Amino acid sequence: MEFLIRAIELADQNIDSGCGGPFGAVVVKDGQIIAEGANHVTTQNDPTAHAEVVAIRQACKKLNTFQLEDCEIYCSCEPCPMCLGAIYWARPRAVYFAANKTDAAHAGFDDSFIYDEILLPHSERKIHTKHIPLQSASKVFKKWLSLDDKTEY
């Protein structure tokens, strides 16, 4: 409970400081907070600077790794689709959140359109999306697969 409370405190402090939206996150390892993040989308002009992504980046840098397998992430709110993707790639053992996506939507942070867009065929998405297959694109995957010393993730 204390880690969720800290994530909520970060969200509240972020509002008070004018640094961004009402979101906070912490990464915990072995019962200790190793990284904290708050939303800085507008202050950093970075649409990826969500609290969870900021905390994940900080934790990975601190641990010198790209995976957080022995960690837990605590969020003031249910992660959006982008953050959920980042969380899955980071591979923590658990994610806990306080407010849910409906709470966020009521505050003006409605991500439901993204979930809807993902399910649509490319030709029906709001942002023009088109698959242009090139043989050279497949070659880089074949090259990757042929490496003996690659770091898989």
Side-chain angles (χ1 to χ4, degrees):
M1 194 75 89
E2 71 179 283
F3 302 128
L4 276 178
I5 291 170
R6 179 60 185 151
I8 294 166
E9 288 172 354
L10 289 166
D12 191 45
Q13 291 169 1
N14 209 46
I15 295 169
D16 290 345
S17 69
C19 287
F23 301 95
V26 297
V27 178
V28 174
K29 182 175 176 155
D30 300 327
Q32 300 293 317
I33 294 174
I34 61 162
E36 297 183 335
N39 181 287
H40 293 291
V41 169
T42 57
T43 56
Q44 293 182 1
N45 294 319
D46 180 354
T48 69
H50 289 203
E52 297 88 340
V53 173
V54 170
I56 288 168
R57 288 174 180 161
Q58 189 182 103
C60 287
K61 186 173 185 176
K62 182 172 186 170
L63 297 175
N64 195 32
T65 184
F66 54 87
Q67 294 185 338
L68 302 174
E69 294 165 333
D70 296 326
C71 298
E72 300 161 343
I73 300 177
Y74 293 81
C75 312
S76 63
C77 186
E78 184 174 358
C80 75
M82 178 187 69
C83 292
L84 191 58
I87 288 167
Y88 270 85
W89 281 112
R91 294 182 175 91
R93 69 172 158 227
V95 177
Y96 304 95
F97 60 90
N100 63 35
K101 60 185 174 186
T102 303
D103 299 321
H106 289 305
F109 300 95
D110 189 355
D111 296 324
S112 62
F113 75 97
I114 298 172
Y115 291 104
D116 295 341
E117 287 283 305
I118 290 169
L119 298 175
L120 291 175
H122 296 142
S123 62
E124 295 179 28
R125 293 182 181 173
K126 288 184 175 72
I127 295 177
H128 177 76
T129 305
K130 184 175 180 171
H131 176 213
I132 303 171
L134 296 175
Q135 196 171 33
S136 56
S138 299
K139 285 181 183 178
V140 295
F141 288 115
K142 289 176 185 170
K143 182 177 181 178
W144 171 257
L145 288 170
S146 73
L147 294 177
D148 291 329
D149 62 343
K150 63 182 166 273
T151 302
E152 296 193 24
Y153 57 98

mmCIF file of all heavy atoms in Angstrom, residues 70-89:
data_model
loop_
_atom_site.group_PDB
_atom_site.id
_atom_site.type_symbol
_atom_site.label_atom_id
_atom_site.label_comp_id
_atom_site.label_asym_id
_atom_site.label_seq_id
_atom_site.Cartn_x
_atom_site.Cartn_y
_atom_site.Cartn_z
ATOM 1 N N ASP A 70 12.920 -8.610 -11.610
ATOM 2 C CA ASP A 70 12.792 -8.754 -10.161
ATOM 3 C C ASP A 70 12.144 -7.545 -9.508
ATOM 4 O O ASP A 70 12.292 -7.332 -8.304
ATOM 5 C CB ASP A 70 14.173 -8.991 -9.536
ATOM 6 C CG ASP A 70 14.794 -10.296 -10.001
ATOM 7 O OD1 ASP A 70 14.047 -11.269 -10.226
ATOM 8 O OD2 ASP A 70 16.027 -10.341 -10.159
ATOM 9 N N CYS A 71 11.435 -6.758 -10.305
ATOM 10 C CA CYS A 71 10.849 -5.513 -9.810
ATOM 11 C C CYS A 71 9.323 -5.531 -9.899
ATOM 12 O O CYS A 71 8.733 -6.361 -10.583
ATOM 13 C CB CYS A 71 11.373 -4.336 -10.624
ATOM 14 S SG CYS A 71 13.158 -4.111 -10.518
ATOM 15 N N GLU A 72 8.741 -4.576 -9.206
ATOM 16 C CA GLU A 72 7.303 -4.324 -9.273
ATOM 17 C C GLU A 72 7.125 -2.858 -9.624
ATOM 18 O O GLU A 72 7.952 -2.015 -9.256
ATOM 19 C CB GLU A 72 6.652 -4.615 -7.923
ATOM 20 C CG GLU A 72 6.834 -6.043 -7.468
ATOM 21 C CD GLU A 72 6.603 -6.223 -5.983
ATOM 22 O OE1 GLU A 72 6.605 -5.224 -5.230
ATOM 23 O OE2 GLU A 72 6.440 -7.377 -5.565
ATOM 24 N N ILE A 73 6.049 -2.556 -10.332
ATOM 25 C CA ILE A 73 5.743 -1.175 -10.687
ATOM 26 C C ILE A 73 4.415 -0.800 -10.040
ATOM 27 O O ILE A 73 3.432 -1.542 -10.156
ATOM 28 C CB ILE A 73 5.694 -0.988 -12.216
ATOM 29 C CG1 ILE A 73 7.052 -1.351 -12.825
ATOM 30 C CG2 ILE A 73 5.290 0.448 -12.566
ATOM 31 C CD1 ILE A 73 7.105 -1.277 -14.341
ATOM 32 N N TYR A 74 4.414 0.329 -9.366
ATOM 33 C CA TYR A 74 3.229 0.852 -8.708
ATOM 34 C C TYR A 74 2.853 2.167 -9.381
ATOM 35 O O TYR A 74 3.702 3.052 -9.512
ATOM 36 C CB TYR A 74 3.497 1.091 -7.218
ATOM 37 C CG TYR A 74 3.737 -0.190 -6.454
ATOM 38 C CD1 TYR A 74 4.977 -0.814 -6.474
ATOM 39 C CD2 TYR A 74 2.710 -0.778 -5.718
ATOM 40 C CE1 TYR A 74 5.202 -1.994 -5.789
ATOM 41 C CE2 TYR A 74 2.923 -1.964 -5.024
ATOM 42 C CZ TYR A 74 4.172 -2.563 -5.066
ATOM 43 O OH TYR A 74 4.382 -3.730 -4.381
ATOM 44 N N CYS A 75 1.601 2.282 -9.812
ATOM 45 C CA CYS A 75 1.153 3.431 -10.591
ATOM 46 C C CYS A 75 -0.041 4.088 -9.922
ATOM 47 O O CYS A 75 -0.925 3.399 -9.399
ATOM 48 C CB CYS A 75 0.736 2.991 -11.990
ATOM 49 S SG CYS A 75 1.918 1.915 -12.820
ATOM 50 N N SER A 76 -0.083 5.399 -9.992
ATOM 51 C CA SER A 76 -1.225 6.110 -9.434
ATOM 52 C C SER A 76 -2.490 5.802 -10.213
ATOM 53 O O SER A 76 -3.591 5.879 -9.672
ATOM 54 C CB SER A 76 -0.965 7.620 -9.419
ATOM 55 O OG SER A 76 -0.815 8.106 -10.745
ATOM 56 N N CYS A 77 -2.332 5.415 -11.477
ATOM 57 C CA CYS A 77 -3.473 5.119 -12.333
ATOM 58 C C CYS A 77 -3.139 3.941 -13.247
ATOM 59 O O CYS A 77 -1.975 3.691 -13.552
ATOM 60 C CB CYS A 77 -3.829 6.350 -13.166
ATOM 61 S SG CYS A 77 -5.332 6.174 -14.145
ATOM 62 N N GLU A 78 -4.159 3.261 -13.705
ATOM 63 C CA GLU A 78 -3.986 2.155 -14.646
ATOM 64 C C GLU A 78 -3.178 2.614 -15.854
ATOM 65 O O GLU A 78 -3.480 3.645 -16.452
ATOM 66 C CB GLU A 78 -5.368 1.672 -15.094
ATOM 67 C CG GLU A 78 -5.363 0.477 -15.986
ATOM 68 C CD GLU A 78 -6.762 -0.046 -16.274
ATOM 69 O OE1 GLU A 78 -7.754 0.500 -15.741
ATOM 70 O OE2 GLU A 78 -6.861 -1.021 -17.046
ATOM 71 N N PRO A 79 -2.142 1.895 -16.214
ATOM 72 C CA PRO A 79 -1.294 2.312 -17.333
ATOM 73 C C PRO A 79 -2.055 2.391 -18.659
ATOM 74 O O PRO A 79 -2.905 1.549 -18.945
ATOM 75 C CB PRO A 79 -0.223 1.219 -17.392
ATOM 76 C CG PRO A 79 -0.186 0.654 -16.009
ATOM 77 C CD PRO A 79 -1.599 0.714 -15.527
ATOM 78 N N CYS A 80 -1.713 3.406 -19.449
ATOM 79 C CA CYS A 80 -2.294 3.570 -20.783
ATOM 80 C C CYS A 80 -1.704 2.507 -21.710
ATOM 81 O O CYS A 80 -0.769 1.798 -21.330
ATOM 82 C CB CYS A 80 -2.002 4.976 -21.306
ATOM 83 S SG CYS A 80 -0.283 5.209 -21.848
ATOM 84 N N PRO A 81 -2.188 2.390 -22.924
ATOM 85 C CA PRO A 81 -1.651 1.371 -23.837
ATOM 86 C C PRO A 81 -0.147 1.501 -24.088
ATOM 87 O O PRO A 81 0.555 0.487 -24.138
ATOM 88 C CB PRO A 81 -2.436 1.596 -25.132
ATOM 89 C CG PRO A 81 -3.716 2.210 -24.695
ATOM 90 C CD PRO A 81 -3.358 3.065 -23.501
ATOM 91 N N MET A 82 0.362 2.722 -24.225
ATOM 92 C CA MET A 82 1.794 2.900 -24.451
ATOM 93 C C MET A 82 2.583 2.412 -23.234
ATOM 94 O O MET A 82 3.568 1.670 -23.364
ATOM 95 C CB MET A 82 2.143 4.367 -24.728
ATOM 96 C CG MET A 82 3.634 4.603 -24.913
ATOM 97 S SD MET A 82 4.085 6.335 -25.039
ATOM 98 C CE MET A 82 3.763 6.920 -23.377
ATOM 99 N N CYS A 83 2.162 2.835 -22.059
ATOM 100 C CA CYS A 83 2.860 2.446 -20.839
ATOM 101 C C CYS A 83 2.746 0.947 -20.596
ATOM 102 O O CYS A 83 3.711 0.313 -20.155
ATOM 103 C CB CYS A 83 2.311 3.220 -19.645
ATOM 104 S SG CYS A 83 2.701 4.978 -19.722
ATOM 105 N N LEU A 84 1.598 0.393 -20.914
ATOM 106 C CA LEU A 84 1.418 -1.044 -20.762
ATOM 107 C C LEU A 84 2.392 -1.792 -21.664
ATOM 108 O O LEU A 84 3.022 -2.776 -21.245
ATOM 109 C CB LEU A 84 -0.023 -1.432 -21.082
ATOM 110 C CG LEU A 84 -0.435 -2.854 -20.728
ATOM 111 C CD1 LEU A 84 -0.245 -3.136 -19.248
ATOM 112 C CD2 LEU A 84 -1.886 -3.074 -21.127
ATOM 113 N N GLY A 85 2.584 -1.301 -22.890
ATOM 114 C CA GLY A 85 3.565 -1.897 -23.788
ATOM 115 C C GLY A 85 4.963 -1.811 -23.214
ATOM 116 O O GLY A 85 5.721 -2.788 -23.222
ATOM 117 N N ALA A 86 5.320 -0.636 -22.685
ATOM 118 C CA ALA A 86 6.650 -0.464 -22.085
ATOM 119 C C ALA A 86 6.823 -1.383 -20.879
ATOM 120 O O ALA A 86 7.896 -1.974 -20.685
ATOM 121 C CB ALA A 86 6.848 0.996 -21.676
ATOM 122 N N ILE A 87 5.781 -1.525 -20.101
ATOM 123 C CA ILE A 87 5.834 -2.396 -18.925
ATOM 124 C C ILE A 87 6.055 -3.843 -19.351
ATOM 125 O O ILE A 87 6.897 -4.547 -18.788
ATOM 126 C CB ILE A 87 4.556 -2.232 -18.074
ATOM 127 C CG1 ILE A 87 4.579 -0.870 -17.358
ATOM 128 C CG2 ILE A 87 4.402 -3.378 -17.085
ATOM 129 C CD1 ILE A 87 3.252 -0.455 -16.752
ATOM 130 N N TYR A 88 5.322 -4.288 -20.351
ATOM 131 C CA TYR A 88 5.505 -5.671 -20.804
ATOM 132 C C TYR A 88 6.909 -5.907 -21.348
ATOM 133 O O TYR A 88 7.501 -6.952 -21.126
ATOM 134 C CB TYR A 88 4.443 -6.063 -21.838
ATOM 135 C CG TYR A 88 3.219 -6.662 -21.181
ATOM 136 C CD1 TYR A 88 2.203 -5.850 -20.690
ATOM 137 C CD2 TYR A 88 3.108 -8.036 -21.017
ATOM 138 C CE1 TYR A 88 1.096 -6.391 -20.069
ATOM 139 C CE2 TYR A 88 2.002 -8.593 -20.394
ATOM 140 C CZ TYR A 88 0.997 -7.765 -19.920
ATOM 141 O OH TYR A 88 -0.090 -8.305 -19.300
ATOM 142 N N TRP A 89 7.469 -4.924 -22.078
ATOM 143 C CA TRP A 89 8.839 -5.076 -22.576
ATOM 144 C C TRP A 89 9.848 -5.069 -21.430
ATOM 145 O O TRP A 89 10.882 -5.730 -21.497
ATOM 146 C CB TRP A 89 9.176 -3.992 -23.597
ATOM 147 C CG TRP A 89 8.608 -4.308 -24.946
ATOM 148 C CD1 TRP A 89 7.598 -3.639 -25.591
ATOM 149 C CD2 TRP A 89 8.987 -5.365 -25.821
ATOM 150 N NE1 TRP A 89 7.334 -4.230 -26.797
ATOM 151 C CE2 TRP A 89 8.185 -5.304 -26.978
ATOM 152 C CE3 TRP A 89 9.943 -6.374 -25.749
ATOM 153 C CZ2 TRP A 89 8.297 -6.191 -28.039
ATOM 154 C CZ3 TRP A 89 10.061 -7.267 -26.816
ATOM 155 C CH2 TRP A 89 9.241 -7.169 -27.935
#
